[in-house]
Amino acid sequence: MDLLSNLEGGHVCWDDNDIIQGKPTGAVRVSFGYMSTYEDAKKFIDFITSSFVSMPNKSENRNTLRTKSMLLSNEGHERNAGYYLKSITVYPIKSCTGFSVESWPLSSTGLQHDREWLLKSVTGEILTQKKVPDMCSISTYIDLNKGIMFVESPRCTAKLEINLKTDSYPGGMEEIELRAQRYEVQYYENDVDLWFSHAVGLPCSLLRCSSSQNYSSLNKDRSRNLCRDVECTLNFANEAQFLLISEESVSDLNNRLSLNAQKGTHGTSVQINPMRFRPNLVVYGGEPYAEDGWLNIKIGNTNFMVSAVHLDGIVISLILEFKKT
């Protein structure tokens, strides 16, 4: 409408009318070259969106996951027999025990506070359960109302309370690199580090992710070097924001293990709990391995993109990213 009004008022290209009725005229051209990347274009679009576009308000429920929510396709059709979200698990400290919730808010990094902390040795090595099995005995819980993360260990008599406020630790800040990611991390005071050092049995420091920057990523066809939505940032998760696993797929794996044990090929049968894979989301209600063909899913009002399918033995687990809408 402004364009037509300006033309009708006699405005033409290259005249001296830079402002008409209080609004600037003309156009801005953005050029991209051979070395331009997806992130370059996305940053410009984000600038235009944040500076000149009025976005609708989003309700809190839209950014919250809840158990028993149905999984839908992007078109709104039910998947097969109808999958449901059975459990949500948050793992605040990488490789430590997580906690289950009925509902949990989402952020640009996935489940809020998921894998937002990690332990680093004095030599700079990132500690995981593969290297330090005692980390599996460290339990965590976050009370969002109080703004506190509670941490317990059988090796420590006192329960550790960590304030979630970003200004609550004067330990300092630095940058680290981990799996093709650059992280800006913040340190805690010595008493926190001493608690964790006693809990794992070796000197270490607790680090909190302040921000991260992707070097590489996964796209829809599960290949690297093609960037996903740059708004989908990571904390200290290995590859993407969520790990989803199907109860039916794990059940089928357990049946196969039992058959192999009966045939005497693998000795005593071992039954695997879905939580052994440390998933954020466990779903149920469909056929085993049906998730192998998923590219996009919708849980409640939230859309997710499948970034990769992992084969853990036979069990297929989905690597998901939260899609902002």
Side-chain angles (χ1 to χ4, degrees), residues 14-31:
W14 304 107
D15 65 19
D16 294 328
N17 297 320
D18 295 329
I19 296 179
I20 299 178
Q21 295 182 353
K23 295 182 180 179
T25 62
V28 176
R29 184 180 70 183
V30 179
S31 299

Side-chain angles (χ1 to χ4, degrees), residues 49-283:
T49 301
S50 61
S51 301
F52 302 102
V53 179
S54 297
M55 302 298 290
N57 294 327
K58 299 178 181 179
S59 64
E60 288 188 12
N61 289 338
R62 187 171 183 80
N63 291 329
T64 302
L65 279 188
R66 301 182 185 279
T67 56
K68 300 181 182 178
S69 297
M70 179 175 285
L71 274 67
L72 305 174
S73 69
N74 278 359
E75 294 77 19
H77 303 300
E78 296 183 18
R79 295 257 185 208
N80 298 328
Y83 276 92
Y84 289 85
L85 180 60
K86 180 177 182 179
S87 67
I88 302 170
T89 305
V90 184
Y91 303 90
I93 304 176
K94 184 177 177 63
S95 283
C96 293
T97 303
F99 62 98
S100 296
V101 291
E102 291 293 321
S103 64
W104 197 255
L106 295 170
S107 69
S108 61
T109 58
L111 292 171
Q112 188 173 2
H113 301 306
D114 185 64
R115 295 175 175 90
E116 194 168 310
W117 291 263
L118 59 70
L119 296 176
K120 186 182 77 168
S121 71
V122 293
T123 61
E125 183 180 30
I126 305 303
L127 302 185
T128 65
Q129 284 190 26
K130 293 179 181 178
K131 304 168 186 175
V132 186
D134 284 340
M135 293 182 71
C136 68
S137 64
I138 298 176
S139 62
T140 57
Y141 175 73
I142 290 179
D143 189 323
L144 292 176
N145 293 326
K146 295 181 178 179
I148 294 176
M149 176 170 67
F150 300 94
V151 191
E152 294 184 87
S153 167
R155 289 190 171 193
C156 302
T157 55
K159 180 189 296 186
L160 184 64
E161 296 185 9
I162 297 178
N163 195 317
L164 299 182
K165 292 182 179 179
T166 56
D167 59 354
S168 63
Y169 37 82
M173 182 180 297
E174 72 171 44
E175 284 191 353
I176 64 172
E177 290 190 13
L178 178 65
R179 296 181 312 277
Q181 300 262 342
R182 180 186 291 124
Y183 294 91
E184 188 177 75
V185 298
Q186 294 177 312
Y187 285 85
Y188 287 85
E189 293 181 310
N190 288 336
D191 56 344
V192 174
D193 292 343
L194 288 174
W195 191 97
F196 280 100
S197 297
H198 185 62
V200 300
L202 70 147
C204 63
S205 299
L206 180 69
L207 307 182
R208 183 179 187 180
C209 178
S210 176
S211 64
S212 65
Q213 178 180 347
N214 295 320
Y215 291 157
S216 63
S217 55
L218 299 166
N219 69 347
K220 287 186 179 180
D221 62 7
R222 299 156 194 164
S223 62
R224 287 197 174 273
N225 300 322
L226 293 176
C227 289
R228 58 190 172 220
D229 187 344
V230 294
E231 288 187 358
C232 293
T233 56
L234 298 180
N235 283 332
F236 296 123
N238 284 350
E239 293 184 52
Q241 298 172 330
F242 305 87
L243 176 65
L244 178 147
I245 201 164
S246 160
E247 248 190 3
E248 284 74 20
S249 298
V250 178
S251 178
D252 183 80
L253 171 60
N254 284 325
N255 290 336
R256 298 187 187 203
L257 291 174
S258 296
L259 289 175
N260 287 337
Q262 293 173 9
K263 295 176 182 178
T265 57
H266 289 82
T268 305
S269 173
V270 177
Q271 293 297 292
I272 296 176
N273 188 294
M275 301 312 297
R276 180 169 180 175
F277 297 93
R278 295 176 62 81
N280 294 112
L281 310 174
V282 178
V283 300

